[in-house]
Amino acid sequence: MERGEYGTPEKRRRRRCLIVTVVAVLLLIVIIAIVLGLTLRKNTDTFTSTFTARCEKFEGYDCEKVWGAFEEAYVGRDPCKVPPGAYDPFIAAAPLKPACNRMMFWSKTKDVVHDFTEKKDCFITVEDTLMGNVVDGLTWCGKEGSTETFTTGCPGWTDCENNTVRSFWNRVSTAFADAACGDVSAMLNGSIDTPFHPKSIFASIEMKRFHPSTVKSLNVVLVTQKSTVTNCTNASLKDLQKELAEGIKYSCKEVAETQIQECGSNPDIACGACW
Ligand code: APR
């Protein structure tokens, strides 16, 4: 049998086979890298467009500037090393509009309070302001050495103290509480043992910042259900009164969740008549 320059036909066939395999594997790696890159890019783009679309619903803000200031807080950073102060430029770019006597704080009543504020223009929660609304319900973080915004694989709320999302809500809640003025409301949950929980944002951050020079009163709306386990005499609400700065009046009212829902759906009932 004739032997060519590059060995037997069998060897040449094997070599060709090997080359084809190597090229195919390389091609596959390149395709995977491109798809991965595009997916990550899409991740950032989807997050940016959600943020921007929500921002544009508010009048009088420069949404490009707001986005830039927001991104600056966490992009390229270890997602466990974003302190609340990193969001200072964002807070400055999205200033709160005055809402004395209309500010509503809450703890463990997220759905009922927002259902109410969305339907009836009586109160404003931080999630109804631009600064809270743009990322309400979202998860995001950055990564060292990357310019992307990731929406998966981010540390959870309790995974580390200074995580991207937790620091955001701490910072935004601080700003919202600092702006509190006049008669302030708080919707707390009457179906749990500790409606005023010391570890909650409301107890640990917001209430501590109410100042008698600007806040006249704190009016607790304790949301009750059939399964209600507590009322306004609850021990944690006694703690709340002790912690409330001197000079700020306090009231507490037990209100059935159904009453809040009905009032929210009835445009004929005035704000002051809901409870
Ligand atoms: N994991 C993820 N998110 C959490 C977690 C957690 N373990 N704990 C709290 N959060 C976020 C969620 O967005 C949740 O809906 O904080 C929100 C409020 O948590 P609550 O325990 O219900 O209440 P609280 O901690 O008192 O915070 C509410 O902070 O958002 C501001 O002004 C707002 O007054 C309100 C207060």
Side-chain angles (χ1 to χ4, degrees):
M1 186 191 275
E2 206 182 312
R3 295 181 62 184
E5 208 182 330
Y6 300 105
T8 63
E10 178 58 21
K11 275 191 181 163
R12 283 206 302 273
R13 198 185 64 78
R14 277 203 199 144
R15 197 173 292 128
R16 266 203 307 274
C17 216
L18 188 71
I19 291 168
V20 169
T21 311
V22 169
V23 169
V25 168
L26 283 176
L27 215 67
L28 201 69
I29 291 173
V30 170
I31 291 170
I32 289 173
I34 291 172
V35 169
L36 213 67
L38 285 178
T39 314
L40 291 179
R41 190 69 253 167
K42 201 166 152 266
N43 225 337
T44 299
D45 292 348
T46 313
F47 187 84
T48 316
S49 45
T50 305
F51 184 105
T52 311
R54 289 187 186 180
C55 178
E56 277 162 2
K57 294 214 174 95
F58 293 81
E59 269 173 35
Y61 294 93
D62 178 347
C63 291
E64 240 175 79
K65 196 174 133 204
V66 175
W67 166 254
F70 173 79
E71 210 186 18
E72 193 186 302
Y74 62 88
V75 158
R77 285 205 193 188
D78 177 336
C80 273
K81 289 185 183 154
V82 178
Y87 289 101
D88 286 354
F90 166 73
I91 301 290
L96 287 164
K97 302 205 164 131
C100 294
N101 307 319
R102 283 162 52 81
M103 294 176 85
M104 175 65 87
F105 294 82
W106 55 274
S107 200
K108 302 282 186 287
T109 52
K110 189 168 183 160
D111 292 341
V112 57
V113 74
H114 290 132
D115 179 59
F116 182 78
T117 60
E118 268 160 34
K119 284 191 192 145
K120 218 172 173 71
D121 190 22
C122 296
F123 295 101
I124 288 168
T125 66
V126 73
E127 293 80 9
D128 299 312
T129 68
L130 180 142
M131 63 165 72
N133 192 267
V134 282
V135 291
D136 189 21
L138 305 182
T139 300
W140 69 96
C141 65
K143 210 175 258 179
E144 274 176 309
S146 164
T147 57
E148 303 286 335
T149 294
F150 300 87
T151 52
T152 52
C154 299
W157 191 266
T158 48
D159 286 341
C160 46
E161 176 79 17
N162 280 335
N163 73 68
T164 324
V165 176
R166 188 170 167 163
S167 289
F168 174 85
W169 287 109
N170 284 353
R171 182 63 190 90
V172 156
S173 303
T174 303
F176 193 59
D178 282 344
C181 50
D183 298 319
V184 162
S185 304
M187 231 181 237
L188 305 183
N189 191 334
S191 301
I192 52 177
D193 289 328
T194 318
F196 181 70
H197 196 283
K199 287 217 167 121
S200 67
I201 294 180
F202 177 63
S204 66
I205 297 177
E206 295 177 326
M207 222 207 64
K208 286 190 163 49
R209 306 185 80 91
F210 295 163
H211 200 273
S213 63
T214 45
V215 176
K216 207 169 112 199
S217 68
L218 172 63
N219 306 296
V220 170
V221 176
L222 192 64
V223 185
T224 62
Q225 283 174 327
K226 283 205 186 89
S227 61
T228 281
V229 296
T230 189
N231 56 32
C232 283
T233 63
N234 178 276
S236 76
L237 295 177
K238 295 257 153 30
D239 296 338
L240 182 154
Q241 289 171 71
K242 270 185 240 150
E243 285 172 35
L244 193 61
E246 219 180 318
I248 300 178
K249 279 194 213 133
Y250 167 83
S251 79
C252 175
K253 203 163 188 177
E254 294 144 24
V255 185
E257 185 171 343
T258 49
Q259 185 181 328
I260 297 171
Q261 285 162 344
E262 278 159 23
C263 196
S265 318
N266 189 341
D268 297 333
I269 306 178
C271 290
C274 272
W275 49 78

